[in-house]
């Protein structure tokens, strides 16, 4: 092999081995970047060991005795986030569910045996009961929906939280007022499918609907895969909670939702949504939007900036690679959290968020901030960028960091003085991770 020929090294990490080809004149830091692409382990979380020595990131491969076929061991620091594929995630979920079912059956068997009964009979009884509950919950059997509607109309709140249903009646948000001619609910009440009410929901007047003045609706913690389109017949709604269901893109009535111009809170956490459509920009009164723990890979490229009343935006634990370019139009935004995504950079328009106080972007792919962000966002005092390529040293070099740090310290002092320290770790953090492995000398042996 010539001096100018590339070399291939074998990098071993756990049960995996990676073959990486580089010129021998490359720095070790370049090898670390290639490893990061393959393993999602940040460079600063890597410690490379060759022939009993820790490789110096600034040194050349050739000076570290790394040659063709060299075997290098990769060790990673504690706070390493590894991305799972969809298949792995599904497998983990199925495994957990089976473990829980087995544990429940075993507990029932032991309880029956202890009381002198048959363990096998107890297990079978448990299985039959679980199947019966699943069948009953699928259509909400045993629930008097008309009676519930009358109660909702009296208290002004639609409450279907944690009742185990997987499907709702198509006219669940429709209750005919006494003395009306019934036109309000004719189409909706004669259909049992969610989709078939779309036309009725879009054309019927809300004047005859006794639920038209309902202010809040909580459908959280069920097994819903869809929400009826007659949701648009609740024009007085200001709070809608749909968290912890199984909502998909096709089952989410976004067009009906966009008709609720008075909505101020929308909670969609822990569902199966992959996108938020542009029609969300019609919700001009929205103040709090939370879509954590979904499968979001895209947000509307434009339109989100029309939400000028939005104060809190929560997007943690999704699959986002970027934030909308017009996010700076959300001029009332106070808190933005998008931890646990794959976002590499923030849109420059965020420098216009003069009211922004808290920015949390932990566990992403960010190596820098927009140049004007810290200098322009003069209300910002809480910044969380842990588990990103950006380090504290790099953050300190960002324009405006000195003023930001002064605000952060002043806020911490105020919280300590008032004994109201809500999050000690984040309050005392300067915003990013320290560089790791600083205590390892380049020639130190293990």
């Amino acid at each position: 092999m010539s001096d100018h020929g590339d070399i291939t090294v074998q990098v071993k990490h756990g049960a995996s081995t990676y073959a990486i080809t580089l010129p021998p004149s490359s720095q070790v830091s370049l090898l670390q970047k290639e490893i990061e692409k393959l393993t999602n382990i940040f460079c600063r979380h890597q410690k490379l060991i060759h022939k009993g020595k820790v490789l110096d990131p600034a040194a050349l491969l050739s000076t570290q005795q790394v040659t063709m076929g060299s075997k290098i061991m990769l060790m990673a620091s504690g706070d390493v986030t590894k991305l799972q594929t969809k298949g792995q995630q599904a497998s983990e979920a199925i495994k957990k569910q089976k473990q829980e079912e087995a544990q429940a059956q075993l507990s029932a068997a032991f309880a029956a045996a202890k009381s002198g009964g048959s363990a096998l009979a107890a297990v079978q009884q448990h299985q039959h009961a679980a199947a019966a509950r699943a069948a009953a919950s699928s259509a909400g059997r045993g629930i008097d929906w008309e009676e519930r509607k009358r109660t909702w109309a009296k208290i002004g709140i639609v409450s279907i939280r944690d009742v185990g249903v997987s499907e709702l009646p198509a006219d669940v948000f429709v209750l005919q007022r006494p003395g009306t001619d019934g036109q309000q609910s004719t189409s909706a009440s004669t259909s049992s499918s969610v989709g078939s009410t779309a036309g009725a929901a879009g054309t019927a007047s809300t004047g005859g609907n006794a639920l038209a003045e309902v202010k809040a609706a909580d459908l959280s913690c069920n097994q819903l895969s869809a929400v009826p389109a007659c949701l648009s017949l609740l024009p007085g709604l200001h709070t809608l909670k749909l968290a912890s269901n199984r909502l998909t893109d096709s089952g989410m009535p976004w067009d009906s939702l966009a008709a609720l111009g008075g909505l101020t809170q929308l909670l969609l956490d822990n569902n199966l949504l992959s996108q938020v459509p542009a029609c969300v920009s019609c919700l001009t009164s929205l103040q709090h939007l939370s879509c954590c723990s979904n499968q979001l890979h895209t947000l509307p490229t434009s339109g989100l900036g029309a939400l000028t009343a939005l104060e809190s935006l929560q997007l943690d634990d999704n699959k986002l690679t970027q934030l909308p370019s017009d996010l700076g139009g959300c001029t009332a935004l106070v808190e933005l959290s998008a931890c646990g995504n794959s976002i590499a950079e923030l849109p420059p328009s965020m420098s216009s968020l003069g009211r922004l106080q808290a920015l949390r972007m932990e566990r992403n792919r960010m190596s820098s901030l927009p140049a004007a962000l810290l200098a322009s966002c003069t209300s910002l005092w809480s910044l969380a960028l842990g588990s990103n390529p950006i380090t504290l040293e790099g953050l300190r070099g960002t324009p405006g960091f000195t003023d930001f740090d002064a605000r952060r310290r002043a806020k911490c002092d105020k919280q300590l003085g008032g004994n109201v320290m809500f999050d000690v770790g984040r309050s005392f953090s300067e915003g990013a991770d320290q560089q790791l492995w600083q205590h390892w000398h380049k020639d130190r042996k293990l």
Side-chain angles (χ1 to χ4, degrees):
M1 182 187 69
S2 66
D3 293 339
H4 299 288
D6 292 344
I7 60 174
T8 299
V9 298
Q10 305 293 323
V11 179
K12 183 173 179 59
H13 179 229
S16 302
T17 301
Y18 305 94
I20 301 176
T21 302
L22 290 171
S25 58
S26 302
Q27 288 186 321
V28 174
S29 59
L30 182 58
L31 175 60
Q32 289 181 314
K33 290 180 181 178
E34 294 299 318
I35 293 173
E36 179 177 334
K37 294 177 183 178
L38 295 172
T39 65
N40 292 309
I41 299 176
F42 295 140
C43 293
R44 69 172 183 276
H45 289 160
Q46 300 175 22
K47 181 167 61 176
L48 302 181
I49 303 172
H50 177 53
K51 293 185 177 180
K53 292 184 178 181
V54 177
L55 299 183
D56 181 3
L60 301 180
L61 294 175
S62 57
T63 64
Q64 300 289 290
Q65 299 181 358
V66 176
T67 59
M68 175 66 76
S70 290
K71 296 180 180 180
I72 299 174
M73 179 182 292
L74 166 63
M75 295 184 65
S77 66
D79 187 18
V80 176
T81 302
K82 298 195 71 175
L83 302 178
Q84 287 185 317
T85 65
K86 291 183 179 180
Q88 290 172 327
Q89 293 172 351
S91 178
E92 288 292 331
I94 293 172
K95 180 179 178 181
K96 183 177 180 182
Q97 181 180 1
K98 289 183 177 180
Q99 288 175 340
E100 292 174 349
E101 291 175 353
Q103 183 62 40
Q105 293 177 9
L106 189 60
S107 299
F110 276 121
K114 188 175 181 181
S115 61
S118 168
L120 178 59
V123 172
Q124 292 174 339
Q125 183 179 3
H126 173 79
Q127 291 174 334
H128 292 323
R133 284 195 299 270
S137 66
S138 64
R141 296 192 187 107
I143 297 178
D144 187 341
W145 291 108
E146 292 304 314
E147 178 62 29
R148 286 207 171 208
K149 292 179 191 180
R150 288 190 286 270
T151 301
W152 300 340
K154 291 177 182 178
I155 65 177
I157 299 174
V158 173
S159 179
I160 319 178
R161 179 184 176 88
D162 198 16
V163 295
V165 294
S166 59
E167 185 178 353
L168 295 174
D171 61 346
V172 68
F173 302 124
V174 179
L175 176 63
Q176 182 182 342
R177 291 185 188 274
T180 58
D181 58 9
Q183 293 180 354
Q184 167 66 23
S185 58
T186 299
S187 298
S189 62
T190 57
S191 173
S192 60
S193 67
V194 173
S196 63
T197 61
T203 60
S205 168
T206 61
N209 187 9
L211 299 178
E213 297 178 2
V214 162
K215 301 298 182 184
D218 189 353
L219 287 68
S220 305
C221 304
N222 287 291
Q223 302 174 35
L224 300 173
S225 59
V227 176
C230 61
L231 180 67
S232 61
L233 300 179
L234 304 179
L237 205 63
H238 63 67
T239 298
L240 179 58
K241 299 180 180 180
L242 298 172
S244 300
N245 280 287
R246 299 177 180 177
L247 296 176
T248 61
D249 296 332
S250 60
M252 188 67 191
W254 287 108
D255 291 338
S256 298
L257 190 65
L260 304 178
L263 198 66
T264 60
Q265 284 197 71
L266 178 57
L267 307 183
L268 298 169
D269 304 326
N270 297 295
N271 279 290
L272 303 174
L273 302 173
S274 66
Q275 60 180 336
V276 175
C279 64
V280 74
S281 61
C282 297
L283 302 176
T284 53
S285 299
L286 199 62
Q287 298 176 8
H288 180 75
L289 175 59
S290 187
C291 300
C292 299
S293 299
N294 276 273
Q295 299 176 6
L296 297 180
H297 56 76
T298 180
L299 294 174
T301 54
S302 62
L304 200 66
L307 304 181
T308 55
L310 191 65
E311 298 178 1
S312 174
L313 180 58
Q314 308 290 326
L315 301 168
D316 297 343
D317 299 316
N318 281 288
K319 304 179 184 300
L320 297 172
T321 57
Q322 61 182 1
L323 295 177
S325 59
D326 65 343
L327 189 59
C330 302
T331 53
L333 198 63
V334 174
E335 179 183 17
L336 171 60
S337 184
C339 302
N341 285 281
S342 299
I343 300 171
E345 59 183 15
L346 298 178
S349 67
M350 284 184 58
S351 300
S352 302
L353 301 178
R355 298 183 183 180
L356 187 66
Q357 297 182 18
L359 176 60
R360 293 192 287 273
M361 298 295 299
E362 296 169 310
R363 295 178 285 118
N364 277 283
R365 315 297 298 172
M366 295 175 54
S367 57
S368 64
L369 291 177
L373 190 138
L374 293 183
S376 300
C377 297
T378 55
S379 298
L380 185 65
W381 66 269
S382 178
L383 182 61
L385 296 174
S387 296
N388 274 282
I390 189 173
T391 62
L392 183 56
E393 181 180 359
L395 183 60
R396 286 172 175 166
T398 304
F401 177 82
T402 302
D403 291 338
F404 156 75
D405 197 46
R407 293 192 298 271
R408 180 188 66 82
R409 292 174 182 272
K411 189 69 173 184
C412 289
D413 292 343
K414 185 177 180 179
Q415 289 182 344
L416 287 171
N419 294 321
V420 289
M421 186 67 72
F422 297 109
D423 190 332
V424 176
R426 281 175 172 161
S427 295
F428 284 107
S429 171
E430 290 183 73
D433 292 336
Q434 293 274 4
Q435 186 69 254
L436 298 183
W437 310 121
Q438 292 177 346
H439 60 290
W440 288 94
H441 188 273
K442 64 180 180 179
D443 293 326
R444 180 175 177 177
K445 295 184 178 181
L446 291 175

